[in-house]
Amino acid sequence: MTTCPEVTLSSKNELRMPVVGMGTSSYPPADPETAKAAIIEAIKAGYRHFDTAFVYGSEQPLGEAIADALRLGLVKSRDELFITTKLWAASAERDLVVPAIKMSLRNLKLDYIDMYLIHWPLRVSQEVRKMPIVKEHAFPLDIKSVWEGMEECKNLGLTRAIGVSNFSCKKLEELLSVAKIPPAVNQVEMNPLWHQKKLREFCQANDVHITAYTPLGANGTKWGDNRIIDCDVLRDIAKAKGKTTAQISLRWVYEQGVSFVAKSFNKERMKENLQIFDWCLTEEDSNKINQLPQHKGTTFASILGPHDLILELDAEI
């Protein structure tokens, strides 16, 4: 079993988080038994950080997998695991935040979450049940009031830390100007073809840790593609090193001081995704990756549907 390094989140709370997390969002959605079985295999392989969200529909199978892992002795206590989940946009109102995290805790069968994130920098109406979201059901996020709800979650002990996802520098700046408890994490798309250099510099200056999603391009989803796995530069580096293209991508992300969540339900690929810590990229390798053309793969519009508010959010990043 591979041991995963940890990162200390923010100078204020000293919370430690494994730098590799297993993502549980799948498209099309996996059935609960398949998801549960994959999570148990991931725990056996050495994963201790699991990333879910209310909207993924994977909170319940994750909770069942955790219960089984404890019963089977795969982990000695809940405290060995780091669980991230997210506030869905339909609950992004001040009075709905605490009820939302309590719902997630019931789904997960847990007393607390380690990291609770605002999933998207917008609010949608309660009527939304599927994507794409029509214009009449999407609204700007009241960052100040929603963040007060997030802070209440932490103060009540329902989560050990709070953060955001898909926030631009502009949105983070607005949040930091009103936050009593600053966000510990900003989870965003990042990979060798989308470096997020400006955002990384802003977050580093403001003690906000970045977690990368789609570090391998989310191939096989309606919003992702195969441009990472099929990238000739990454393939050539992988061949020279005797590694996989995925491992080169994940190692590059890790060497930027960033944690990541990668979704795979394949046992061998799960193990490979953890086998990136006993070797390094050379300076020449890094320079080649740093010169790759940049293109954002996942846009808000590709997931939520294109209209003025969402296109405006895409334009910020």
Side-chain angles (χ1 to χ4, degrees), residues 143-172:
I143 288 178
K144 184 176 186 297
S145 68
V146 173
W147 194 251
E148 286 172 357
M150 298 290 286
E151 290 174 330
E152 185 179 359
C153 291
K154 186 176 187 308
N155 290 334
L156 289 171
L158 301 174
T159 183
R160 297 171 72 198
I162 51 178
V164 295
S165 182
N166 299 300
F167 269 48
S168 62
C169 294
K170 180 180 176 182
K171 288 288 185 291
L172 276 174

Side-chain angles (χ1 to χ4, degrees), residues 107-251:
N107 290 339
L108 289 159
K109 299 181 177 66
L110 297 178
D111 295 325
Y112 69 91
I113 291 162
D114 297 280
M115 180 65 64
Y116 197 46
L117 306 178
I118 296 176
H119 202 154
W120 294 94
L122 81 165
R123 178 174 66 86
V124 302
S125 67
Q126 298 292 315
E127 289 81 6
V128 172
R129 293 290 180 271
K130 61 181 181 178
M131 309 298 179
I133 297 168
V134 298
K135 181 178 181 179
E136 291 74 23
H137 290 166
F139 309 94
L141 182 71
D142 184 340
I143 288 178
K144 184 176 186 297
S145 68
V146 173
W147 194 251
E148 286 172 357
M150 298 290 286
E151 290 174 330
E152 185 179 359
C153 291
K154 186 176 187 308
N155 290 334
L156 289 171
L158 301 174
T159 183
R160 297 171 72 198
I162 51 178
V164 295
S165 182
N166 299 300
F167 269 48
S168 62
C169 294
K170 180 180 176 182
K171 288 288 185 291
L172 276 174
E173 202 164 26
E174 182 180 348
L175 171 55
L176 289 166
S177 72
V178 298
K180 294 176 183 175
I181 302 172
V185 160
N186 185 18
Q187 187 181 119
V188 296
E189 179 188 8
M190 181 181 154
N191 53 57
L193 298 181
W194 189 241
H195 291 174
Q196 293 278 23
K197 189 171 186 293
K198 178 183 175 184
L199 182 62
R200 280 191 284 131
E201 290 172 350
F202 181 90
C203 286
Q204 185 175 15
N206 288 279
D207 204 17
V208 179
H209 177 76
I210 284 187
T211 296
Y213 68 74
T214 63
L216 303 177
N219 189 28
T221 68
K222 65 179 179 180
W223 56 84
D225 55 43
N226 63 353
R227 63 202 177 95
I228 300 287
I229 301 303
D230 288 350
C231 174
D232 290 338
V233 170
L234 297 176
R235 275 181 170 174
D236 290 346
I237 295 172
K239 185 176 180 180
K241 285 192 156 347
K243 305 295 180 183
T244 68
T245 306
Q247 286 174 321
I248 299 301
S249 178
L250 297 178
R251 179 69 201 188

